[in-house]
Amino acid sequence: MAVNERNILNRLYFIAGCMFIFGLAVVFKLLSIQFLQGDVYRAKATERVVKNVVIPANRGNVYSVNGNLLATSIPKYDIRFDALTPKAKTFEKYIKPLCDSLSKYSGKSSNALEKDLRRARANRNRYFLLARNIGYSDYIRLRNFPLLELGAFKGGLIVEQTTKREHPMGGIAQRTIGYERIDDKGNVTRPGIDGAFGVKYLRGVDGQRKKQQIGKGQWKPLSDANEIEPQDGYDVYTTIDVNIQDIAHHALLAQLEKYKADHGCVVVMETKTGEIRAISNLGRNKNGHYYERLNYAVGESHESGSTFKLMALAAAFEDKVVDTSDVVDTENGILSFYGKKVRDSKHGGYGKITVSKAFEVSSNTGIVKVIDKAYRKQPEKFVDRLYEMNLQDSLNLPIIGEPKPIIPDPRVKNGRWSGIALQWMAYGYGVSFTPLQTLTFYNAVANDGVMVKPRFLKEVKEFDKIIKPFEKEVINKQICSKETISKLQALLKNVVEKKHGTGHRLYSKNFSMAGKTGTCQKDYRDKEKLNYISSFAGYFPADNPKYSCIVVIHEPDKSVGYYGADVSGPVFKRVAQKIFTDTPIVDEVESLEVKMGAVEKDYESFYEKAQKYKTIMPNVVGMPAMDALVLLENMQINVKVRLEGNGLVKAQSINKNTKLKDNQTVVLKAS
């Protein structure tokens, strides 16, 4: 055989061998895919058409201390129709009755609806929208319509549920009630009570449901039931009293509007327990309207101004370096330290006056001179005394955003200390506190020296079962001696009762109050930006106080007024007097019944009432608007509710005990 022929034959053998080996590899790969990796690839194929979808649990409700609903999750439903699921015989049998029922619900003609559904079937539409964003009662009604009542597999019913967080009281206390928000990137924002206690109590446990892909971006539940049912979150009962909250909100709003201020806050705290009864934070938008913009009371730290004079004298009294009867010369109303001036608001000063009067008239020079004389050579002693009263500590609130107080310290590197730090601290400059931190100290003075932690939660409940109660928490059993506390209480009382006191215009012979005015310059390093912070902190009644309160208003119109006595003081007085004249001081449940005409205070009783009023219009005047909405939406008859306003229901368009008609609209007016 020729050499060339032999070479050709060898090459053919080689090629044949390679092909045989390649064939074996292909067969091996196919067998491997089928028997060894089959489950993996089958799972991937299934993933493309079937997936587990998370069913969010309903967040628990947030209630006031008197049982009013402050935040709730309202379920909403989209009802869709898979036009290909019903068999031809079933479709033809039920199409007309279904359209008749839909016509009564929507008002659209039955013939037009039938054309739409037949067109959907012809176009192989597996996601035809029947109703969007409907309430629970409408959802129950629609799913019992002919054909749809056969469910997902036979009737083509598709139900999509979402929840919407509602605030029945509207914008009142919304920043404190708060929310939990998750953006597209998974970042979680949790301001306020709703956010702070969401993970632990309110959120609940999500469920799961299998869905099948029926089109591009369209998924249909595989069954009527969930694979894993979601577990609703617990209900949280706050310490907020809606009556006091309403008083505080509107008193602050009126003053902000009068003085065209940028923003402000007011907090009312129960003296003995630290329970926050009201907290309002209002800021102005570009259109001049005020709303709950930020939680200033918790998160905004600023120089205190004259409200800090109480802390300064508390330290001096405790160290016994000065007494209320000591005389101080305010000179001509101007002191100078390292070229920096300390001035009194009264031109020419007050002359020689007692330390008590220096506080009552809020003499900057008088207080600064006393503190400078006592602590000039040992400023760390002054700072240590402030520390002993816990003024350097944050309150460790569950609500996020609280900054740590600022107190300059000569022993700390970068501790904001300077040659004039001591003198500036004496009248509230160089130090920085949030309104709630300042109020906590004033409340301790009202509470005979016992400093309690501000508290926003009363208890966590599951229906009537208490899951976790929240008790009073003491920060400091005695911030200073009883003797010092007694002196501080007398000073605060004199600020209002003495004719020369800066708060005397708040005085009422029928109602006693105690407190301190504060006026602090803001952005004072730039005269073009110079503005003011006006404040008033105190408690009421002056003897045996029940509540403490702070009002802080930023950047009032200087042409109208900016002193704490003029701007913030009237809010304090209005809140104090209205609480005791408009709100009965009785058992909280009783006061709610008086307010709401013995209306039940929780959802369980609302549903009991709904059982009684299945088709008859109940009286919902006096109820929180969202409670009334839920009550009406859960009646047996279909009722469409149009809500105008927020807060408590003031009027209803249909009189009580009136027989309601199907699809009738009820208008509720609230404020």
Side-chain angles (χ1 to χ4, degrees):
M1 183 180 291
V3 174
N4 288 338
E5 290 177 346
R6 191 181 297 113
N7 290 338
I8 292 172
L9 187 60
N10 288 337
R11 288 176 182 175
L12 289 173
Y13 286 148
F14 176 77
I15 292 172
C18 289
M19 291 181 65
F20 177 74
I21 294 171
F22 178 74
L24 287 176
V26 171
V27 171
F28 177 78
K29 186 65 176 178
L30 290 173
L31 292 173
S32 175
I33 291 173
Q34 181 174 357
F35 295 105
L36 299 179
Q37 298 176 286
D39 291 342
V40 175
Y41 285 101
R42 276 190 292 273
K44 289 185 176 180
T46 303
E47 285 177 2
R48 296 181 179 179
V49 293
V50 177
K51 68 177 180 180
N52 280 320
V53 177
V54 172
I55 307 299
N58 287 326
R59 291 176 72 82
N61 296 326
V62 179
Y63 291 94
S64 72
V65 72
N66 23 27
N68 296 95
L69 196 59
L70 300 178
T72 187
S73 294
I74 301 296
K76 295 295 182 180
Y77 303 86
D78 288 351
I79 307 298
R80 296 181 180 272
F81 178 57
D82 182 351
L84 294 185
T85 290
K87 294 181 179 180
K89 186 177 180 179
T90 304
F91 182 83
E92 292 300 332
K93 178 181 178 181
Y94 290 107
I95 182 67
K96 183 63 176 174
L98 172 60
C99 292
D100 289 344
S101 297
L102 288 171
S103 177
K104 292 179 182 179
Y105 172 79
S106 66
K108 192 174 182 179
S109 74
S110 180
N111 289 336
L113 287 165
E114 185 174 346
K115 287 181 181 179
D116 289 342
L117 292 183
R118 289 189 180 279
R119 188 182 303 113
R121 189 171 175 87
N123 294 337
R124 305 181 66 81
N125 189 336
R126 308 196 67 183
Y127 209 59
F128 183 78
L129 181 66
L130 295 178
R132 186 190 298 278
N133 200 36
I134 61 175
Y136 179 76
S137 59
D138 281 349
Y139 155 66
I140 294 297
R141 185 182 178 195
L142 262 71
R143 72 171 299 147
N144 287 311
F145 281 177
L147 188 58
L148 300 182
E149 65 182 351
L150 299 179
F153 287 127
K154 294 181 179 180
L157 173 66
I158 300 175
V159 179
E160 307 243 332
Q161 178 182 342
T162 57
T163 57
K164 183 179 180 182
R165 200 66 169 166
E166 297 282 357
H167 292 81
M169 298 298 291
I172 293 180
Q174 192 167 12
R175 293 301 301 190
T176 300
I177 297 166
Y179 52 84
E180 179 182 72
R181 180 175 295 158
I182 303 176
D183 63 20
D184 296 337
K185 297 180 180 179
N187 298 317
V188 182
T189 305
R190 298 188 183 101
I193 293 169
D194 207 340
F197 300 100
V199 174
K200 194 168 185 179
Y201 301 118
L202 289 165
R203 181 184 289 178
V205 181
D206 293 339
Q208 281 190 1
R209 192 176 194 183
K210 287 190 181 297
K211 286 191 176 183
Q212 182 181 30
Q213 190 172 27
I214 57 176
K216 188 176 182 180
Q218 297 176 351
W219 295 82
K220 170 186 174 181
L222 282 177
S223 64
D224 290 337
N226 298 322
E227 272 66 39
I228 301 175
E229 289 296 331
Q231 300 175 29
D232 292 347
Y234 295 129
D235 293 333
V236 166
Y237 283 75
T238 72
T239 61
I240 300 293
D241 183 305
V242 292
N243 301 315
I244 298 177
Q245 180 68 44
D246 186 68
I247 291 168
H249 173 89
H250 288 98
L252 176 64
L253 177 61
Q255 204 73 344
L256 290 172
E257 291 176 339
K258 178 180 178 180
Y259 283 88
K260 303 174 185 177
D262 182 73
H263 65 274
C265 67
V266 55
V267 184
V268 180
M269 181 160 67
E270 191 172 82
T271 304
K272 300 298 182 185
T273 65
E275 293 184 357
I276 301 298
R277 292 289 179 242
I279 178 168
S280 183
N281 300 276
L282 297 175
R284 184 176 57 190
N285 64 15
K286 61 182 180 180
N287 297 319
H289 299 297
Y290 292 94
Y291 68 107
E292 287 263 338
R293 191 170 72 186
L294 294 170
N295 199 332
Y296 304 110
V298 170
E300 184 176 44
S301 186
H302 57 83
E303 290 180 305
S304 304
S306 293
T307 56
F308 187 78
K309 290 173 182 174
L310 186 72
M311 291 79 152
L313 286 185
F317 291 159
E318 194 69 0
D319 285 333
K320 301 187 182 302
V321 293
V322 69
D323 204 351
T324 55
S325 59
D326 291 351
V327 175
V328 58
D329 188 356
T330 63
E331 300 182 12
N332 61 352
I334 301 176
L335 297 178
S336 182
F337 299 93
Y338 299 97
K340 301 291 185 180
K341 304 292 185 183
V342 176
R343 301 176 184 272
D344 275 333
S345 58
K346 181 183 179 182
H347 183 71
Y350 297 91
K352 293 181 179 181
I353 56 177
T354 63
V355 170
S356 175
K357 187 173 182 179
F359 181 85
E360 292 152 15
V361 300
S362 201
S363 168
N364 294 333
T365 58
I367 301 300
V368 169
K369 200 168 186 180
V370 165
I371 299 300
D372 174 64
K373 180 181 178 181
Y375 296 103
R376 183 189 313 139
K377 296 181 180 179
Q378 45 183 353
E380 64 279 357
K381 184 178 179 181
F382 179 70
V383 174
D384 284 340
R385 185 61 73 180
L386 297 177
Y387 287 174
E388 287 181 15
M389 297 186 291
N390 295 89
L391 287 170
Q392 85 282 13
D393 298 328
S394 63
L395 298 171
N396 294 317
L397 301 172
I399 295 177
I400 62 172
E402 181 198 9
K404 187 177 175 63
I406 295 173
I407 297 177
D409 190 326
R411 298 158 297 189
V412 178
K413 186 177 181 181
N414 299 324
R416 298 174 181 262
W417 193 260
S418 68
I420 58 172
L422 175 67
Q423 295 76 19
W424 255 238
M425 288 170 67
Y427 72 121
Y429 286 88
V431 294
S432 186
F433 301 91
T434 68
L436 196 51
Q437 289 164 353
T438 297
L439 179 61
T440 300
F441 182 86
Y442 273 74
N443 189 79
V445 173
N447 199 23
D448 294 328
V450 182
M451 180 178 283
V452 292
K453 182 176 179 177
R455 185 154 53 93
F456 294 91
L457 286 198
K458 189 78 172 178
E459 57 193 9
V460 176
K461 298 177 74 174
E462 183 179 30
F463 299 109
D464 290 331
K465 179 183 178 183
I466 296 177
I467 303 299
K468 179 176 176 57
F470 290 85
E471 306 295 341
K472 177 176 72 174
E473 190 173 335
V474 176
I475 297 173
N476 190 327
K477 292 180 180 179
Q478 197 67 43
I479 60 170
C480 53
S481 66
K482 295 286 187 179
E483 181 184 0
T484 295
I485 287 294
S486 180
K487 292 175 182 178
L488 298 178
Q489 291 173 343
L491 291 178
L492 293 171
K493 191 174 182 180
N494 289 342
V495 167
V496 177
E497 293 188 358
K498 291 287 184 71
K499 288 186 177 180
H500 58 248
T502 55
H504 184 67
R505 274 175 287 181
L506 308 181
Y507 173 73
S508 170
K509 64 180 181 179
N510 300 318
F511 184 78
S512 64
M513 296 167 282
K516 181 71 184 75
T517 58
T519 308
C520 179
Q521 290 185 351
K522 183 179 182 180
D523 299 321
Y524 46 82
R525 292 179 177 84
D526 187 340
K527 291 185 178 180
E528 293 183 1
K529 295 181 179 180
L530 176 64
N531 225 305
Y532 292 89
I533 303 171
S534 304
S535 57
F536 192 97
Y539 49 84
F540 52 91
D543 300 313
N544 192 23
K546 183 171 179 61
Y547 298 107
S548 60
C549 177
I550 188 168
V551 182
V552 180
I553 294 178
H554 284 249
E555 302 179 27
D557 187 337
K558 295 189 290 290
S559 65
V560 182
Y562 55 86
Y563 286 111
D566 300 325
V567 181
S568 294
V571 178
F572 180 95
K573 181 178 181 178
R574 197 170 299 128
V575 168
Q577 288 191 322
K578 274 189 165 289
I579 285 176
F580 280 95
T581 57
D582 292 3
T583 305
I585 305 302
V586 294
D587 180 81
E588 288 162 345
V589 175
E590 291 178 358
S591 69
L592 179 65
E593 290 178 345
V594 170
K595 179 77 175 177
M596 298 173 58
V599 173
E600 297 87 349
K601 74 181 183 72
D602 54 32
Y603 260 108
E604 289 75 18
S605 54
F606 290 160
Y607 284 122
E608 289 175 10
K609 194 170 185 178
Q611 294 302 310
K612 179 180 179 182
Y613 294 99
K614 295 179 179 179
T615 59
I616 305 298
M617 181 66 193
N619 178 24
V620 297
V621 173
M623 289 178 64
M626 194 55 62
D627 293 0
L629 184 66
V630 172
L631 173 63
L632 294 174
E633 282 195 347
N634 283 277
M635 299 178 72
Q636 278 193 355
I637 196 169
N638 182 50
V639 178
K640 296 180 179 179
V641 183
R642 189 169 79 242
L643 181 60
E644 297 178 358
N646 292 294
L648 300 177
V649 177
K650 301 298 183 184
Q652 57 190 58
S653 63
I654 298 176
N655 293 331
K656 66 177 181 179
N657 297 325
T658 302
K659 177 75 173 178
L660 292 169
K661 299 177 181 178
D662 201 27
N663 283 319
Q664 190 166 5
T665 299
V666 177
V667 180
L668 303 180
K669 294 185 178 180
S671 62

